[in-house]
Amino acid sequence: MAFRVPYVDLPAQYRGLEKELDGAFKRVMSNASFILRDDVRELEQNLAHYLGAKHVVGVNSGTDALYLCMYSLRLKPGDEVITVGHTFVASIAAISLFGGTPILVDVGEDYNMDIAKMEAAINSKTRAIIPVHMNGRLCDMEKIAAIAKKKNLLLLEDSAQSLGASLNGKMPGALSWAACFSMHPMKNLGGAGDAGFIATNDDSLAEQVRILRNHGQATKEDI
């Protein structure tokens, strides 16, 4: 007998939270607080507290989180950014879209960035490193961060699959410029549709992303 086992059973997840979710839906629909309102601010505050980050900024998707950070980096033609080939296309597209050259290194047995290969790929054109945390396991950020600091390179974490993970007591964003998370329905903390957020301790980046996500203007609450 053949059985079909869904990769993720989203309807079953809904049934388990149906009363709570329906109540939230009716409340949001009743007060029309659809975009960048109290619920988003509360989520940002709760996530910042959970991650130990100074700022969390909600955005449209994990892809947009990567795009906005790479835009803020202001890459110049010829700038190289090291990441891995074993990742979703958004990690690499974010580099190419804003003028950088992706340099792909292999992963180790844990499916995360091979640090020795990463270090060997660094040269005078290298501007940043994007480690990608795969399958809920964090890269060894202490080692990667030490190399990035020594080489004066910016470190941006693709944390789409790692919300809730920690290594040596540190969560994504603790040792980097920023960490980018996805809240796609099939991620660790999924939304009813697409969503994402950026966690950072950099005041300037947080301010810039808040403005960029809203067509160049800050909301009253952001000021």
Side-chain angles (χ1 to χ4, degrees):
M1 182 180 291
F3 293 92
R4 285 184 173 273
V5 179
Y7 180 65
V8 176
D9 195 339
L10 297 176
Q13 291 182 20
Y14 168 68
R15 289 192 294 272
L17 297 167
E18 185 172 356
K19 185 176 180 180
E20 182 180 354
L21 291 174
D22 284 359
F25 173 77
K26 289 179 181 178
R27 175 178 52 77
V28 171
M29 292 300 294
S30 295
N31 61 28
S33 56
F34 301 132
I35 300 171
L36 299 180
R37 301 286 290 277
D38 292 345
D39 290 287
V40 173
R41 285 193 295 274
E42 183 179 359
L43 178 63
E44 290 173 337
Q45 291 165 3
N46 289 340
L47 285 169
H49 177 73
Y50 176 70
L51 292 166
K54 190 172 182 180
H55 305 280
V56 160
V57 184
V59 294
N60 288 339
S61 65
T63 297
D64 276 2
L66 289 165
Y67 283 5
L68 290 172
C69 285
M70 292 307 296
Y71 175 84
S72 300
L73 182 55
R74 301 295 196 272
L75 293 173
K76 299 184 294 295
D79 285 346
E80 295 182 353
V81 179
I82 298 172
T83 190
V84 291
H86 183 59
T87 183
F88 183 60
V89 66
S91 312
I92 298 164
I95 301 168
S96 299
L97 184 64
F98 297 105
T101 301
I103 303 299
L104 307 184
V105 299
D106 208 346
V107 296
E109 293 183 359
D110 63 354
Y111 300 103
N112 283 329
M113 180 176 276
D114 185 311
I115 297 176
K117 289 183 171 64
M118 177 208 79
E119 188 169 17
I122 296 172
N123 61 52
S124 61
K125 297 180 181 179
T126 307
R127 181 79 185 280
I129 302 170
I130 303 181
V132 181
H133 307 305
M134 290 298 294
N135 310 321
R137 295 182 70 173
L138 298 189
C139 302
D140 191 334
M141 290 305 299
E142 291 184 346
K143 289 183 179 179
I144 294 174
I147 294 169
K149 183 177 180 180
K150 180 180 177 181
K151 301 289 186 177
N152 194 31
L153 300 174
L154 183 140
L155 191 55
L156 175 65
E157 297 172 69
D158 185 332
S159 306
Q161 296 187 13
S162 65
L163 182 61
S166 65
L167 183 63
N168 299 326
K170 293 183 174 62
M171 289 188 164
L175 297 171
S176 64
W177 181 51
C180 297
F181 294 83
S182 170
M183 296 176 72
H184 180 279
M186 294 176 68
K187 290 298 191 293
N188 307 45
L189 179 63
D194 215 345
F197 64 93
I198 296 162
T200 183
N201 294 313
D202 187 312
D203 295 339
S204 178
L205 175 63
E207 179 183 8
Q208 188 167 187
V209 170
R210 287 191 183 105
I211 292 171
L212 289 170
R213 73 175 177 180
N214 196 30
H215 303 283
Q217 59 184 342
T219 63
K220 291 180 181 179
E221 294 78 11
D222 292 334
I223 297 173

